[in-house]
Amino acid sequence: MTNVTPTLTPKPWISGIAPYVPGKSAGADGRALIKLSANENPLGTSDAARAAFTAAQDAADALSRYPDPGSNLLREAIAARFGLDPARVICGNGSDELLHLAAGTYAGAGDEILYVRYGFAVYEIAARRVGATPVEADDRDYATDVDALLAAVTDKTRVVYLANPNNPTGTLATREEVTRLHAGLPKDVLFVIDQAYAEYLAPDEDDGGLELAKTEPNVFVTRTFSKIHGLAAERIGWGYAASDVISALHRIRLPFNVTRAGQAAAVAALGDDDFVTRSREHNASWRAWLAREIEGLGNHGLRVVPSATNFLLVLFEGSVSAETVYNRLMDAGYIVRWLPGQGLPHALRMTIGTEEETRGLAAAIRAALAG
Ligand SMILES: *Cc1c(COP(=O)(O)O)cnc(C)c1O
């Protein structure tokens, strides 16, 4: 036997993962920038949620005791708010954890996990992490193409992810499209509808995902407190599916996955409809304003993808590149998201900020195009 030193080697499917790139908040020189790169709520957090969070943190045993592993009060509050069965609500360390649980529970080596091109970046990582093969269906001018997704289903498909509305494109598949996609999927495929931006939708834009999850055995809807509720720091997500799906997901869930103060803050956030409404209205009007400003910039080849979210995806189809504008915006103090790693080197994703931030961003884009 030759004396070869053994080397520690990650599994090949793990080595194949390109790590998730979070939105930046500082420039290369460490200078703080106005952060419009992570789709956070520019209005902050509901006062009620902040008060509940602080009270939970102030308890004498706040640090020494484990949080409630079942997130019971939070699941009850979610169920009451949305007319659901609390036993079928599962909470996660952000909805990211729940997206990973879906892949880990239903797919492995030799299986396929399907989503649309320019889908949420976590899907590819979740697929590769469990040794499954990620499969991308063609988009339709940056939007979800239900026919392309259905055509890409094979007998190896185990999970289909659909972010609706989608990040980073901002596009929304209609209720009719979501229903048709579900109807066309085999019953042994888990259909994950990732509704991270659902609260930004007008009532008539609801994609019907939660209604499907109430009755269909293979639909898993995920939501988050990170976006409109402004609780991104505490990592709180939730999901809803049939009992069989939920109990399977629980087998591999981390037992203490949501912090105690986070659970308390989320319960209070659910009770503050005013904050959610204010956030939605602020977003809708400044999103429309920013889209008009960008479309009014003249002959620079900029195109705004129609958005149902708290951000805009802007395509740079003229002579000034997205990368150039990205760097000039950074020099001007604004950090947006440039996504060359997701096949979008020609686009920038911009979160809707406060009025001041949004006006400032529009002026900075105008200046960046001028050179
Ligand atoms: C932000 C986002 C999430 C997840 O957020 P968590 O903070 O993990 O809850 C999930 N899906 C999409 C499409 C998102 O944009």
Side-chain angles (χ1 to χ4, degrees), residues 247-269:
S247 50
L249 297 173
H250 273 301
R251 290 174 195 274
I252 57 167
R253 173 175 73 78
L254 300 178
F256 303 100
N257 58 348
V258 186
T259 64
R260 179 168 161 176
Q263 292 180 33
V267 169

Side-chain angles (χ1 to χ4, degrees), residues 93-96 99 120 123 163 167 194 196-197 224 226-227 235-237:
N93 185 258
S95 49
D96 274 2
L99 299 170
F120 185 43
Y123 305 156
N167 171 16
D194 170 354
Y197 301 94
T224 181
S226 300
K227 303 285 159 61
R235 316 301 307 119
I236 315 147

Side-chain angles (χ1 to χ4, degrees), residues 270-350:
L270 277 179
D272 192 346
D273 284 341
D274 267 9
F275 178 77
V276 171
T277 302
R278 253 194 312 127
S279 300
R280 182 191 306 116
E281 288 172 355
H282 169 88
N283 183 69
S285 57
W286 287 99
R287 183 180 68 202
W289 183 88
L290 183 62
R292 277 197 309 274
E293 286 291 307
I294 292 171
E295 279 156 358
L297 284 172
N299 264 345
H300 295 284
L302 270 58
R303 179 154 72 98
V304 179
V305 177
S307 172
T309 60
N310 65 343
F311 59 85
L312 292 180
L313 187 73
V314 181
L315 310 174
F316 290 75
E317 297 172 334
S319 56
V320 186
S321 74
E323 183 179 13
T324 298
V325 173
Y326 173 74
N327 286 317
R328 287 178 183 166
L329 288 178
M330 214 155 10
D331 291 341
Y334 296 86
I335 178 86
V336 297
R337 193 72 162 259
W338 180 45
L339 294 159
Q342 279 184 254
L344 293 165
H346 56 293
L348 296 178
R349 194 195 70 188
M350 310 170 179

Side-chain angles (χ1 to χ4, degrees), residues 51-329:
F53 176 76
T54 307
Q57 280 198 319
D58 283 349
D61 59 357
L63 289 168
S64 57
R65 300 283 181 194
Y66 281 107
D68 172 10
S71 297
N72 284 300
L73 292 178
L74 176 54
R75 287 188 305 103
E76 296 283 349
I78 291 165
R81 177 73 181 72
F82 295 98
L84 307 174
D85 173 359
R88 292 168 53 192
V89 175
I90 184 171
C91 292
N93 185 258
S95 49
D96 274 2
E97 183 192 13
L98 301 171
L99 299 170
H100 279 283
L101 292 184
T105 304
Y106 290 98
D111 296 329
E112 293 175 355
I113 293 186
L114 174 64
Y115 46 85
V116 70
R117 177 185 298 147
Y118 314 127
F120 185 43
V122 163
Y123 305 156
E124 181 180 348
I125 298 171
R128 292 190 189 278
R129 173 172 178 252
V130 300
T133 304
V135 178
E136 274 186 10
D138 284 344
D139 61 301
R140 195 188 58 230
D141 198 24
Y142 301 92
T144 295
D145 183 339
V146 167
D147 296 311
L149 278 168
L150 287 174
V153 172
T154 72
D155 58 7
K156 292 181 180 163
T157 308
R158 297 273 73 87
V159 175
V160 173
Y161 287 114
L162 175 70
N164 204 38
N166 186 40
N167 171 16
T169 62
T171 56
L172 178 70
T174 64
R175 177 185 284 252
E176 185 275 325
E177 289 173 311
V178 169
T179 308
R180 192 158 63 82
L181 176 52
H182 173 257
L185 293 176
K187 295 298 167 228
D188 61 351
V189 171
L190 183 71
F191 181 26
V192 181
I193 309 176
D194 170 354
Q195 297 186 334
Y197 301 94
E199 298 86 354
Y200 286 102
L201 300 176
D204 65 347
E205 291 179 313
D206 177 11
D207 69 7
L210 262 186
E211 293 307 311
L212 277 181
K214 284 181 186 176
T215 54
E216 298 298 325
N218 64 334
V219 174
F220 181 39
V221 165
T222 63
R223 293 276 189 105
T224 181
F225 284 90
S226 300
K227 303 285 159 61
I228 211 164
H229 292 296
L231 290 167
E234 277 302 292
R235 316 301 307 119
I236 315 147
W238 63 274
Y240 199 67
S243 305
D244 289 350
V245 172
I246 295 299
S247 50
L249 297 173
H250 273 301
R251 290 174 195 274
I252 57 167
R253 173 175 73 78
L254 300 178
F256 303 100
N257 58 348
V258 186
T259 64
R260 179 168 161 176
Q263 292 180 33
V267 169
L270 277 179
D272 192 346
D273 284 341
D274 267 9
F275 178 77
V276 171
T277 302
R278 253 194 312 127
S279 300
R280 182 191 306 116
E281 288 172 355
H282 169 88
N283 183 69
S285 57
W286 287 99
R287 183 180 68 202
W289 183 88
L290 183 62
R292 277 197 309 274
E293 286 291 307
I294 292 171
E295 279 156 358
L297 284 172
N299 264 345
H300 295 284
L302 270 58
R303 179 154 72 98
V304 179
V305 177
S307 172
T309 60
N310 65 343
F311 59 85
L312 292 180
L313 187 73
V314 181
L315 310 174
F316 290 75
E317 297 172 334
S319 56
V320 186
S321 74
E323 183 179 13
T324 298
V325 173
Y326 173 74
N327 286 317
R328 287 178 183 166
L329 288 178

